Amino acid sequence: MTDRSPSETLTHAGGVVYRSRDGSVEFLLVTARRQPGEWVLPKGHIEEGEQPDQAAVREVEEEAGVRTRVVRPLGDLELVVYGQPQRIAFFLMLAAGDGEDREGRRFGWFGLEEALSRITFAESRELIARAAGLLEKAR
């Protein structure tokens, strides 16, 4: 994870989305479009004229039907996905609803340990752990 300098261009934005259920925090995961057996964080392209936080909110709603609000930035990742470099801004986001399957993907709400065990990529596990730490500090 890196902090962004003004000269670096973001290509994607996404969210570590959480909600509180019965006193416990749950995290939103979606299945990957190309690999439906993989669980990932919702993310997608930043459209022209769109701010990264706006793109993250839009992408979460498009992929999981969940309306959110951004709580704070979590950091950026640089990845190569299917041969294409991506620079992704991730945000901690609070859910305002339960969601619905969209774009042919499934979604699920998982407690911290289950989210960490289901998520496919190590970088995403780090983001979820960072988010959980921030939420714990805020209590």
Side-chain angles (χ1 to χ4, degrees), residues 55-116:
V57 168
R58 177 183 52 75
E59 286 293 341
V60 169
E61 188 163 2
E62 285 178 3
E63 292 183 6
V66 177
R67 296 178 64 186
T68 61
R69 75 170 174 83
V70 171
V71 175
R72 62 166 289 170
L74 280 177
D76 301 346
L77 291 179
E78 290 184 44
L79 303 172
V80 177
V81 179
Y82 298 107
Q84 298 296 313
Q86 295 182 359
R87 185 167 183 86
I88 310 157
F90 276 97
F91 298 88
L92 179 62
M93 303 169 79
L94 176 61
D98 292 334
E100 60 188 54
D101 293 339
R102 296 250 176 114
E103 294 186 349
R105 297 175 176 211
R106 292 178 297 133
F107 76 96
W109 291 99
F110 304 101
L112 176 60
E113 294 307 317
E114 189 171 1
L116 292 173

